């Protein structure tokens, strides 16, 4: 196993990509802190999977990653429960599709707080703990939206663009402390929320993807394991797209483009 007895936090791991990452880290031997904001049942089911199938430890923590109080609670719980942090995956994220002129200050603030500020705050507090233990790994879950050119996603694209430079600049400052920082940038991935927004989601979106299909959550989780393990020991400050070859443009679900 590549992550035997490592202590890992995955923000936003009650469902979707975060849940798959938490399970995959556990399969590789890590003990987990599962974070959620609203979906307690989802978080409990991920915990059950980790304990019963992967036979690793898992605890859950409700914390809003967009607020400093929430981040302090999350990092504090990991340290109180496990005594250290080896891996932080900044996965929690939201996407609110709105034409540019309909974006409110509230939408902007919520998106940037969750997707970018939360990653910064969690990284700063977790890195302080990693320094005490001689090092660690941070993985940010970005998006091909960091490359821009997406329809009706100005706050989201801005947050993921910011995550690119957060990743690169943290990597430089944290390298002397033996902390590696990388980002995995998914393309269009098959999650429940996307199917709710657009029931024909996989069929509608595959024309934009050279490989010809949307991705599965496990196809993001495996590269995250790579970024967390010693297999990538010489890699830091990198943004790795896992997107079936898709580079940037994505239409708004339900738009004429998507029909
Ligand atoms: N799906 C895609 O096609 C795709 C593509 C590129 C990048 N991504 C990125 O992948 C990451 C995971 O997204 P997903 O697609 O798996 O979406 P998802 O299924 O909607 O899951 C989002 C997760 O983030 C959590 N979350 C949201 N706001 C939070 C907050 N304020 N504090 C703590 N947790 C919060 C949610 O927790 P609760 O449900 O408990 O509230 C949930 O666990 C995001 O960063 C997203 O931008 C996704």
């Amino acid at each position: 196993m590549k992550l035997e007895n490592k202590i890992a936090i995955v923000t936003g791991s009650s469902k979707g990509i975060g849940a798959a990452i938490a399970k995959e880290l556990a399969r590789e031997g890590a003990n987990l802190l599962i974070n959620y904001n609203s979906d307690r049942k989802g978080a409990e089911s991920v915990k059950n999977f980790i304990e019963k199938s992967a036979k690793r430890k898992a605890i859950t923590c409700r914390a809003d990653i967009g607020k400093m109080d929430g981040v302090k609670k999350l990092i504090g719980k990991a340290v109180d429960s496990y005594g250290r942090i080896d891996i932080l995956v900044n996965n929690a994220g939201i996407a609110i599709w709105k034409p540019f002129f309909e974006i409110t200050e509230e939408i902007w603030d919520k998106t940037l707080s969750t997707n970018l500020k939360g990653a910064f705050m969690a990284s700063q507090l977790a890195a302080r703990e990693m320094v005490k233990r001689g090092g660690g790994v941070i993985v940010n879950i970005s998006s091909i939206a960091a490359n821009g050119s997406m329809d009706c996603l100005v706050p989201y694209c801005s947050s993921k663009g910011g995550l690119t430079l957060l990743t690169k600049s943290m990597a430089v400052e944290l390298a002397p402390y033996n902390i590696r920082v990388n980002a995995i940038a998914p393309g269009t991935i098959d999650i429940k929320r996307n199917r709710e927004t657009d029931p024909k989601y996989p069929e509608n979106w595959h024309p934009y993807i050279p490989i010809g299909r949307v991705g599965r959550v496990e196809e993001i989780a495996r590269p995250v394991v790579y970024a967390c393990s010693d297999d990538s020991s010489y890699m830091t400050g990198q943004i790795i797209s896992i997107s079936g070859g898709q580079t940037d443009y994505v239409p708004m679900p339900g738009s004429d483009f998507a029909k």
Side-chain angles (χ1 to χ4, degrees):
M1 286 198 277
K2 294 179 189 293
L3 304 171
E4 187 84 53
N5 291 328
K6 298 283 186 192
I7 305 302
I9 301 175
V10 182
T11 68
S13 43
S14 55
K15 55 166 73 78
I17 292 171
I21 292 170
K23 290 176 185 174
E24 205 62 43
L25 296 179
R27 279 196 199 98
E28 288 293 346
N31 297 314
L32 264 293
L33 196 157
I34 311 297
N35 161 242
Y36 67 101
N37 190 33
S38 58
D39 186 2
R40 190 178 61 78
K41 268 176 86 174
E44 287 299 329
S45 106
V46 176
K47 173 180 153 74
N48 285 343
F49 173 90
I50 289 172
E51 289 172 343
K52 297 206 171 100
S53 299
K55 310 266 187 256
R56 310 310 301 175
K57 290 185 197 146
I59 50 175
T60 62
C61 179
R62 199 205 84 73
D64 181 348
I65 211 72
K67 301 207 169 105
M68 187 46 123
D69 284 355
V71 174
K72 280 186 179 158
K73 179 180 168 191
L74 181 70
I75 302 299
K77 185 151 186 180
V79 174
D80 290 347
S81 309
Y82 291 123
R84 64 174 206 279
I85 300 164
D86 301 306
I87 294 166
L88 169 68
V89 181
N90 288 308
N91 166 80
I94 54 167
I96 301 170
W97 301 76
K98 282 275 178 207
F100 177 70
F101 288 111
E102 292 175 25
I103 296 163
T104 60
E105 183 182 6
E106 190 190 354
I107 290 172
W108 176 269
D109 285 347
K110 195 172 175 200
T111 306
L112 273 287
S113 297
T114 310
N115 297 5
L116 182 58
K117 192 173 88 173
F120 158 69
M121 294 187 299
S123 298
Q124 192 185 54
L125 297 193
R128 284 201 178 113
E129 296 302 322
M130 291 172 182
V131 167
K132 292 179 197 165
R133 298 273 164 180
V137 176
I138 297 172
V139 179
N140 295 323
I141 303 304
S142 183
S143 166
I144 54 164
N147 303 331
S149 307
M150 294 181 84
D151 208 5
C152 297
L153 274 179
V154 165
Y156 184 78
C157 290
S158 304
S159 71
K160 297 298 186 181
L163 212 45
T164 296
L165 288 179
L166 179 69
T167 303
K168 289 173 184 278
S169 49
M170 283 199 307
V172 170
E173 282 205 50
L174 294 177
Y177 300 100
N178 192 31
I179 299 171
R180 296 186 297 108
V181 188
N182 292 290
I184 298 294
T188 307
I189 307 303
D190 195 0
I191 56 152
K192 203 169 156 217
R193 175 174 52 74
N194 284 343
R195 281 183 190 259
E196 282 164 4
T197 317
D198 176 5
K200 290 196 171 162
Y201 173 82
E203 305 91 78
N204 283 345
W205 294 45
H206 77 233
Y208 299 93
I209 306 166
I211 275 187
R213 63 172 176 82
V214 296
R216 297 184 291 273
V217 289
E218 298 76 22
E219 292 174 308
I220 302 303
R222 290 303 302 168
V224 172
V225 167
Y226 170 73
C228 291
S229 76
D230 284 345
D231 285 351
S232 61
S233 53
Y234 199 52
M235 181 177 87
T236 198
Q238 301 306 303
I239 317 298
I240 301 165
S241 288
I242 309 289
S243 64
Q246 186 181 10
T247 49
D248 51 13
Y249 184 73
V250 173
M252 184 170 173
S255 73
D256 286 346
F257 258 113
K259 280 178 190 157

